[in-house]
Amino acid sequence: EFSNELDGIALDVDEECKTVEDAKKSEKWKAYIQNAINKYNKDPDYCVSNAQRIQYFRILDGDFGVESGELTATMKLKRPI
């Protein structure tokens, strides 16, 4: 179940952030995620082609789910038509 409250190691990224809403506004969180993406994109053992590169990211308000309509019954992401 999705919770708006951060916990565990997520609280260590930016001590001022206690919720997902706070993390969405935090420059420390954005830099933390971007650094991880850059590291992944530069590692040829994990990112073996340009098709696998992460180009951008968003911190979402909630999880994807079948009930909310973002996932199919087989847990595949639905695409807009």
Side-chain angles (χ1 to χ4, degrees):
E1 172 110 359
F2 179 78
S3 170
N4 193 41
E5 301 297 317
L6 299 178
D7 65 358
I9 61 171
L11 293 170
D12 297 337
V13 175
D14 186 349
E15 292 83 20
E16 296 177 12
C17 294
K18 304 297 181 205
T19 65
V20 174
E21 289 299 319
D22 295 339
K24 287 173 72 171
K25 299 173 191 169
S26 169
E27 290 302 317
K28 287 182 183 179
W29 261 102
K30 291 175 186 172
Y32 179 78
I33 295 169
Q34 190 61 56
N35 287 337
I37 289 171
N38 293 344
K39 185 176 177 181
Y40 167 81
N41 285 342
K42 289 179 184 174
D43 190 334
D45 291 332
Y46 293 105
C47 184
V48 298
S49 71
N50 281 337
Q52 290 183 312
R53 290 190 55 175
I54 300 170
Q55 297 179 10
Y56 58 89
F57 70 94
R58 299 279 186 274
I59 299 174
L60 302 175
D61 293 327
D63 289 337
F64 289 138
V66 176
E67 299 81 18
S68 54
E70 292 96 1
L71 298 177
T72 66
T74 57
M75 304 304 282
K76 295 177 185 145
L77 189 61
K78 284 188 179 178
R79 298 174 189 240
I81 22 180

